[in-house]
């Protein structure tokens, strides 16, 4: 007895299996004529080869399903037509019993897909018209929109751009039927990252979004005002490479939740948009996707659910914030859709300041950088060399059996050296860069450190050496170092001076023991130390570190705190979205849970004692703050020509399937539940969850509205309250500070630990002490530096609660 291939399932729905019920052909009773009726009621009319259908034929199942087309050795293969009892109809390519190739599927509800298939699933380029008249045209992957595509809503809205897993993701343009348009970055169906919102009346908002809400700094140009070039605008927000650096954010973005609060301040009409992709269940074609849409105006925010399962979008409100005067622009800062600061400026002032800052930055970089030879194409070669070297080293050292480090594993002689010719060699692959020599210092030590920090070797290589490459970022300091950021934001790679390389090699044994003994250390995590020599003499040294700001939350403020006061402030005209501020710029005090604060200062003392023992100075606390929109919008000073506008009622947020997406609640400490949070170690953490006094000294997580539950560890996801004294010029100020108290999530760690207090620094201290207060300058002897650093944090940053 030989059985025919299972072609259609009993429910007559397409899935990822060969289609059809089992029908058996009794080989002994098969007749050579072109028509055969089987005992189970099935009927085949067509060509045979031996005892199997082969050639042209029509097979009718007893349940009413019909296939007519090509057969090969008993399997449906070639062109054919499939008819289901439900009324569904497929006409196109079939291979081995699967819908495979190009074909058209028509459903009785009026939906139709025409395009490419792979193993019964839409895959490749295709066009689908839904029963509710929406149309998607573009690339598919495993039955979902993925790649480039266009979506047309039945109400006239249109999206053109990138998709991922059925959702708008990457770079794209959304056009509303009322004339509004958004051009920028998307993530999981929401505006996320940098973008430009153009209103129908001609107004523009240039800024950043997080999960559909304005978040961060931006500039609003009313209708009729003159707008600067996109390049100048990007520079004014701190993106020194212009639009290129802004758009690069589409592939490297931080996530963060949002809140919608009741307030009396006028803000842009830009709101969140929610979207979900075309769903499929168990590989079957589904027309019952549950998607949602957003409708908003200046006084109302609501979420509509459509039983038809269609996407539906409404614009940010159909009008821009047109003011009477077109001679001004508005520099604004938002937190989860709430405007917290505004500055009114003349439209001619902004591009001039941007141009001035650009020239100053270029001049300063050129003057201070010792790596000026690595620009443009050379910088690309440097990045490629780094990836090739790390891939080689990690691949070579990982298979070595794990063992404890020895004295011989430390020092400048403990290294792996390899020459990488462009044509390749017996040990190295060919590449598109220049010939270079690679040197990897203390490979066994850093291999053990990576394992100690719980980093998987394969993930480490993929993060740094993946096909998407590294992102070069501008230097935040005066060293002129080159910085690279891995695509997933987990690692920062920094060029070192020769003196810094020597210090790291010298302190590495003690550093290894310190991080081994103190798993919650706040000191920078080092993962690799390398050197590249090009053209026979030019040497570039790199260190791979963990990114302290690798988080799904947006970092709104960054501070570099040393505890000194001389020169520790930033020119206000040079402050932009990505600025790292200094000690005198900090206008907040932070209140933490008593146990969290106690544990923090205990670890700070241990880390400072270690640095003091190594004669290290000039280190600082890198502090990153994620602000939550205030609960109560008090202390508002209304700027000129800004009419009041009502917003959505406090505590009300749009919902999907009963879940509040943006609830108006603050941060909440809850008991730690390992099954409810990600316990994967980050590039900056590996320690235990912290215990909170307020929860009975239990290990805790923090609930962040709109984001989820995060594990609280030292220096990572630490909740606190930021208190600020409200200061403003009541008569003439064009800048408005709206709030005094914020809930914040803190990220921090100790950086720049490679400066010894050597003879050069002693001379610098002596010279500056003559001109300035010896206690105010950064360069002091290590013991005093450590004590001043701790006192500053205790008195000015994290003061004890009364």
């Amino acid at each position: 007895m030989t059985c025919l291939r299972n072609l259609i399932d009993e429910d007559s729905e397409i899935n990822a299996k060969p289609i059809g019920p089992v029908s058996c052909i009794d080989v002994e009773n098969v007749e050579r004529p072109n028509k055969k009726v089987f005992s189970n009621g099935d009927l085949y009319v067509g060509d045979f080869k031996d005892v199997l259908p082969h050639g042209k034929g029509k097979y009718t199942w007893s349940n009413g399903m019909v296939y007519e087309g090509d057969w090969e050795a008993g399997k449906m293969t070639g062109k054919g037509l499939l008819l289901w009892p439900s009324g569904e109809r497929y006409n196109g390519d079939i291979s081995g019993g699967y819908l495979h190739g190009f074909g058209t599927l028509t459903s009785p509800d009026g939906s139709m897909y025409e395009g490419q298939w792979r193993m019964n699933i839409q895959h490749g380029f295709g066009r689908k018209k839904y029963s509710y008249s929406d149309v998607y045209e573009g690339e598919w992957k495993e039955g979902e929109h993925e790649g480039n595509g266009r979506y047309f809503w039945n109400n006239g809205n249109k999206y053109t751009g990138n998709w991922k897993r059925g959702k708008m993701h990457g770079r794209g343009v959304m056009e509303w039927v009322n004339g509004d348009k958004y051009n920028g970055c998307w993530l999981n169906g929401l505006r996320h990252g940098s973008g430009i919102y153009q209103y129908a009346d001609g107004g523009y908002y240039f800024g950043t979004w997080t999960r559909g809400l304005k978040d961060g700094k931006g500039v609003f140009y009313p209708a009729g005002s003159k707008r600067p070039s996109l390049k100048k605008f990007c520079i004014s927000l701190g993106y020194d490479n212009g639009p290129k650096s802004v758009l690069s954010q589409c592939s490297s973005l931080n996530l963060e939740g949002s809140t919608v609060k009741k307030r009396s301040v006028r803000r842009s009409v830009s709101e969140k948009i929610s979207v979900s992709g075309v769903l499929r269940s168990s590989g079957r074609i589904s027309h019952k996707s549950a998607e949602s849409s957003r409708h908003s105006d200046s006084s109302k925010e609501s979420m509509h659910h459509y039983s038809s399962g269609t996407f539906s979008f409404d614009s940010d409100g159909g009008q821009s914030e047109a003011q009477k005067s077109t001679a001004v622009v508005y520099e604004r800062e938002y937190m989860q859709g709430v405007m917290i600061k505004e500055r009114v400026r003349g439209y001619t002032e902004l591009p001039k300041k941007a141009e001035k800052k650009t020239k100053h930055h270029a001049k300063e970089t050129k003057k201070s950088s010792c790596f000026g030879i690595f620009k443009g194409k050379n910088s690309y070669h440097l990045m490629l060399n780094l990836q090739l070297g790390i891939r080689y080293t990690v691949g070579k050292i990982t298979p070595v059996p794990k063992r404890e480090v020895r004295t011989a594993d430390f020092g400048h002689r403990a290294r792996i050296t390899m020459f990488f010719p462009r044509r390749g060699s017996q040990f190295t692959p060919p590449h598109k860069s220049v010939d270079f020599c690679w040197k990897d210092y203390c490979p066994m030590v850093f291999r053990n450190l990576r394992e100690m920090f719980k980093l998987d070797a394969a993930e480490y290589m993929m993060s740094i050496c993946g096909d998407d490459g590294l992102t070069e970022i501008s230097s935040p300091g005066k060293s002129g170092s080159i910085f690279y950021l891995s695509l997933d934001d987990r690692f920062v790679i920094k060029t070192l001076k020769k003196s810094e390389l020597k210090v790291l090699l010298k302190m590495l044994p003690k550093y290894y023991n310190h991080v081994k003994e103190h798993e919650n250390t706040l000191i920078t995590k080092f993962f690799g130390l390398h050197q590249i020599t090009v053209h026979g003499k030019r040497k570039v040294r790199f260190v791979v570190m963990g990114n302290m700001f690798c988080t799904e939350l947006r970092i709104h403020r960054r501070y570099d705190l040393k505890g000194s006061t001389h020169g520790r402030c930033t020119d206000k005209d040079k402050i932009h979205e990505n600025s790292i501020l200094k000690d005198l710029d900090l206008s907040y005090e932070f209140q933490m849970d008593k146990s969290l604060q106690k544990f923090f200062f205990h670890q700070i003392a241990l880390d400072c004692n270690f640095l003091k023992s190594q004669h290290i100075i000039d280190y600082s606390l890198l502090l990153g703050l994620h602000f939550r929109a205030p609960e109560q919008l008090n202390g508002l000073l209304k700027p000129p020509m800004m009419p009041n506008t009502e917003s959505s009622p406090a505590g009300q947020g749009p919902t999907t399937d009963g879940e509040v997406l943006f609830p108006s609640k603050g941060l909440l400490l809850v008991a730690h539940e390992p099954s409810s949070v990600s316990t994967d170690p980050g590039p900056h953490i590996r320690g235990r969850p912290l215990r909170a006094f307020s929860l009975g000294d239990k290990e805790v997580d923090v609930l962040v509205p709109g984001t989820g539950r995060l594990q609280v560890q030292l220096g990572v996801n630490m909740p606190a309250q930021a208190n600020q004294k409200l200061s403003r010029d009541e008569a003439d100020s064009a800048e408005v500070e709206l709030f005094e108290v914020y809930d914040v999530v803190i990220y921090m760690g100790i950086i720049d630990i490679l400066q010894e207090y050597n003879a050069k620094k002693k001379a610098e201290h002596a010279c500056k002490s003559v001109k300035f207060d010896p206690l105010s300058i950064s360069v002091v002897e290590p013991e005093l530096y450590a004590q001043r650093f701790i006192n500053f944090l205790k008195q000015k940053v994290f003061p004890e609660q009364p």
Side-chain angles (χ1 to χ4, degrees):
M1 183 77 68
T2 302
C3 290
L4 195 65
R5 188 105 163 121
N6 198 12
L7 300 177
I8 305 294
D9 66 13
E10 294 180 357
D11 295 328
S12 300
E13 295 197 43
I14 300 173
N15 55 24
K17 301 178 180 178
I19 26 184
V22 176
S23 294
C24 297
I25 301 176
D26 188 343
V27 177
E28 297 177 355
N29 295 326
V30 169
E31 301 177 3
R32 300 310 296 259
N34 292 338
K35 180 178 179 180
K36 175 62 182 178
V37 178
F38 300 97
S39 58
N40 62 0
D42 292 356
L43 171 67
Y44 174 76
V45 178
D47 299 330
F48 283 88
K49 182 178 181 181
D50 296 329
V51 295
L52 298 176
H54 187 90
K56 299 288 184 179
K58 179 179 180 180
Y59 197 101
T60 304
W61 283 262
S62 58
N63 64 1
M65 187 171 180
V66 177
Y67 169 75
E68 184 174 4
D70 297 330
W71 293 78
E72 184 176 321
K75 301 177 183 177
M76 297 186 298
T77 301
K79 301 283 185 180
L81 173 66
L82 272 167
L83 302 174
W84 284 265
S86 62
E88 285 186 307
R89 174 190 182 99
Y90 175 81
N91 190 351
D93 297 332
I94 296 180
S95 179
Y98 293 92
L99 309 187
H100 192 89
F102 187 89
T104 302
L105 179 71
T106 306
S107 300
D109 62 2
S111 63
M112 182 178 71
Y113 172 80
E114 182 179 9
Q116 295 175 313
W117 296 78
R118 188 175 74 176
M119 304 293 285
N120 289 353
I121 298 175
Q122 297 117 319
H123 190 96
F125 187 86
R127 182 181 188 274
K128 181 167 184 177
K129 181 178 180 180
Y130 294 87
S131 59
Y132 32 83
S133 300
D134 288 4
V135 175
Y136 173 78
E137 184 179 70
E139 296 175 329
W140 296 71
K141 183 177 180 181
E142 300 296 330
E144 295 181 316
H145 311 160
E146 183 149 342
N148 295 317
R150 297 186 296 172
Y151 198 102
F152 303 85
W153 282 263
N154 57 19
N155 60 5
N157 297 336
K158 180 178 72 172
Y159 171 81
T160 304
N162 294 325
W163 297 75
K164 186 174 183 180
R165 296 177 182 174
K167 299 180 181 181
M168 298 178 293
H169 190 108
R171 181 75 192 282
V173 179
M174 183 75 188
E175 299 177 65
W176 285 269
V177 68
N178 66 355
D180 286 6
K181 179 189 294 187
Y182 170 79
N183 187 339
C185 300
W186 298 77
L187 187 71
N188 293 328
L190 300 172
R191 285 170 288 186
H192 190 98
S194 300
I196 303 170
Y197 195 99
Q198 178 182 355
Y199 297 89
D201 65 1
Y204 280 80
Y205 179 77
F206 297 73
T208 56
W209 282 257
T210 298
R211 288 188 172 179
L213 293 181
K214 291 177 184 172
D215 199 20
K217 295 183 178 181
V219 182
F220 174 70
Y221 294 84
S225 63
K226 181 179 179 181
R227 292 176 293 277
S229 67
L230 180 59
K231 180 177 181 181
K232 287 185 178 181
F233 160 74
C234 296
I235 293 172
S236 72
L237 290 185
Y239 301 103
D240 300 323
N241 294 329
K244 181 178 180 181
S245 58
V246 173
L247 298 182
S248 68
Q249 290 193 353
C250 292
S251 60
S252 181
L253 304 170
N254 291 327
L255 304 179
E256 99 96 70
S258 306
T259 351
V260 179
K261 310 290 182 180
K262 186 175 181 179
R263 52 199 177 280
S264 59
V265 59
R266 174 77 175 183
R267 65 181 179 90
S268 295
V269 201
S270 176
E271 307 296 345
K272 52 186 170 295
I273 300 175
S274 180
V275 60
S276 60
V278 178
L279 304 179
R280 61 185 179 91
S281 176
S282 303
R284 297 178 179 177
I285 298 175
S286 172
H287 306 288
K288 298 180 181 180
S289 307
E291 292 118 14
S292 57
S293 68
R294 180 78 169 82
H295 177 78
S296 64
D297 54 34
S298 58
S299 63
K300 180 180 180 181
E301 295 178 342
S302 62
M303 180 75 75
H304 302 288
H305 300 278
Y306 291 83
S307 60
S308 62
T310 172
F311 296 110
S312 180
F313 285 90
D314 290 317
S315 68
D316 280 0
Q319 60 179 357
S320 72
E321 303 171 63
Q323 281 78 14
K324 295 179 181 180
S325 172
T326 59
V328 296
V329 298
Y330 298 85
E331 290 184 346
R332 292 173 175 171
E333 184 171 2
Y334 289 84
M335 291 177 186
Q336 298 96 52
V338 177
M339 187 174 70
I340 57 113
K341 184 183 294 186
E342 182 173 76
R343 185 177 185 181
V344 183
R345 303 176 70 167
Y347 73 83
T348 57
E349 183 181 0
L350 184 64
K352 287 182 178 179
K353 286 187 173 292
E355 184 177 355
K356 181 179 179 181
K357 183 176 70 175
T358 306
K359 291 181 179 178
H360 174 79
H361 177 78
K363 182 178 179 181
E364 190 178 64
T365 302
K366 183 177 180 181
K367 182 177 179 180
S368 63
S369 178
C370 56
F371 303 102
I373 57 172
F374 298 105
K375 297 295 180 183
K377 189 174 182 179
N378 288 332
S379 179
Y380 168 76
H381 287 164
L382 196 62
M383 179 188 72
L384 186 57
N385 296 347
L386 181 64
Q387 291 179 304
L388 289 168
I390 290 178
R391 188 182 293 118
Y392 172 82
T393 297
V394 176
K396 185 178 180 66
I397 198 68
T398 300
V400 176
K402 184 178 180 181
R403 62 172 174 81
E404 188 52 70
V405 295
R406 307 163 184 162
T407 303
D409 294 323
F410 295 95
H412 68 280
R413 293 188 177 181
R415 63 197 183 202
I416 294 175
T417 303
M418 179 57 63
F419 179 64
F420 283 77
R422 184 171 184 175
R423 296 181 178 179
S425 68
Q426 181 181 355
F427 305 101
T428 63
H431 56 84
K432 297 180 180 180
S433 183
V434 296
D435 296 351
F436 69 97
C437 185
W438 171 261
K439 189 178 292 185
D440 183 63
Y441 291 98
C442 307
M444 183 58 71
V445 175
F446 285 105
R447 173 252 178 93
N448 281 18
L449 282 173
R450 290 192 293 270
E451 293 184 352
M452 191 185 301
F453 298 145
K454 301 177 182 179
L455 288 180
D456 179 74
E459 291 182 1
Y460 179 70
M461 278 199 295
M462 286 301 298
S463 178
I464 297 177
C465 308
D467 294 336
D468 294 315
L470 304 170
T471 302
E472 184 177 352
I473 55 179
S474 59
S475 172
K478 299 178 181 179
S479 65
S481 297
I482 297 174
F483 286 80
Y484 292 107
L485 185 67
S486 64
L487 184 67
D488 57 8
D489 290 343
R490 298 181 69 189
F491 304 102
V492 175
I493 302 173
K494 176 188 176 183
T495 55
L496 298 179
K497 299 176 182 177
K498 185 177 181 180
S499 59
E500 293 175 322
L501 174 71
K502 290 182 176 180
V503 171
L504 182 52
L505 288 174
K506 179 181 176 181
M507 71 183 294
L508 192 56
K510 298 291 185 182
Y511 171 87
Y512 182 90
N513 292 331
H514 180 78
V515 298
K516 182 179 180 181
E517 183 177 353
H518 305 288
E519 64 175 356
N520 290 295
T521 180
L522 289 166
I523 292 177
T524 304
K525 305 292 190 295
F526 294 124
F527 303 115
L529 184 60
H530 317 290
Q531 177 177 289
I532 292 173
T533 305
V534 294
H535 303 136
K537 57 181 180 180
R538 294 173 178 171
K539 297 179 180 179
V540 187
R541 305 158 190 92
F542 293 93
V543 63
V544 183
M545 306 176 291
N547 179 14
M548 295 179 184
F549 297 155
C550 179
T551 170
E552 56 185 313
L553 301 179
R554 178 180 292 277
I555 302 298
H556 295 103
R557 292 284 190 280
R558 300 166 175 82
Y559 292 91
D560 182 272
L561 306 175
K562 291 187 175 183
S564 58
T565 56
H566 176 68
R568 299 296 294 168
C569 62
T570 308
D571 188 343
K572 288 187 177 181
D573 290 330
K574 298 178 183 178
I575 296 177
H576 52 73
E577 179 78 13
N578 298 315
S579 292
I580 297 182
L581 307 177
K582 300 178 182 178
D583 303 62
L584 297 181
D585 302 317
L586 183 66
S587 58
Y588 302 99
E589 290 181 348
F590 303 97
Q591 300 293 334
M592 289 193 296
D593 179 273
K594 290 183 179 180
S595 295
L596 300 185
Q597 186 169 350
K598 180 180 179 180
F599 193 68
F600 167 71
F601 279 112
H602 173 72
Q603 189 60 53
I604 281 286
L606 292 173
D607 291 340
C608 286
N609 285 335
F610 163 72
L611 296 173
K612 181 172 61 176
S613 70
Q614 301 301 303
H615 305 286
I616 300 298
I617 62 169
D618 268 352
Y619 51 87
S620 56
L621 183 76
L622 184 62
L623 179 68
L625 304 176
H626 167 76
F627 288 85
R628 303 302 299 175
E631 291 283 339
Q632 303 294 334
L633 308 187
N634 297 324
L636 170 65
L637 177 65
K638 186 174 69 175
M641 296 179 296
M642 292 295 292
N644 289 326
T645 301
E646 293 182 4
S647 61
S648 62
Q652 179 178 345
T655 62
T656 300
D657 296 333
E659 180 183 359
V660 178
L661 297 179
F662 301 99
S664 55
K665 297 180 181 179
L667 302 175
L668 180 65
L669 279 175
V670 294
H672 174 60
E673 293 184 7
S675 61
S676 301
V677 297
S678 173
T679 56
D680 295 335
H684 176 54
I685 56 175
R686 66 186 181 100
R688 301 179 303 274
L690 298 187
R691 299 177 181 273
F693 176 81
S694 58
L695 263 70
D697 205 34
K698 296 180 180 178
E699 293 183 344
V700 293
D701 302 328
V702 59
L703 290 179
V704 182
T707 298
R709 188 182 190 124
L710 304 176
Q711 183 177 354
V712 179
Q713 293 183 274
L714 191 61
V716 179
N717 301 327
M718 296 184 70
Q721 188 177 72
N723 302 309
Q724 179 185 35
K725 291 184 177 181
L726 195 63
S727 60
R728 57 177 178 252
D729 187 336
E730 297 181 357
D732 303 320
S733 177
E735 184 170 348
V736 184
E737 284 282 357
L738 302 181
F739 312 111
E740 295 177 315
V741 181
Y742 298 90
D743 284 337
V744 296
V745 182
I746 294 177
Y747 298 84
M748 55 187 168
I750 298 176
I751 62 170
D752 296 338
I753 65 169
L754 300 180
Q755 179 57 61
E756 269 189 322
Y757 189 62
N758 50 26
K760 181 179 179 181
K761 287 296 179 179
K762 291 178 181 178
E764 182 182 344
H765 170 75
C767 181
K768 288 186 176 181
S769 296
V770 175
K771 299 180 180 180
F772 311 104
D773 180 0
L775 297 179
S776 69
I777 60 177
S778 177
V779 184
V780 294
E781 61 93 17
E783 186 171 353
L784 177 59
Y785 191 99
Q787 190 59 51
R788 183 182 64 184
F789 179 72
I790 294 175
N791 289 341
F792 174 76
L793 295 179
K794 285 185 175 181
Q795 297 170 11
K796 302 294 184 181
V797 186
F798 303 102
E800 293 185 6
Q801 301 179 24

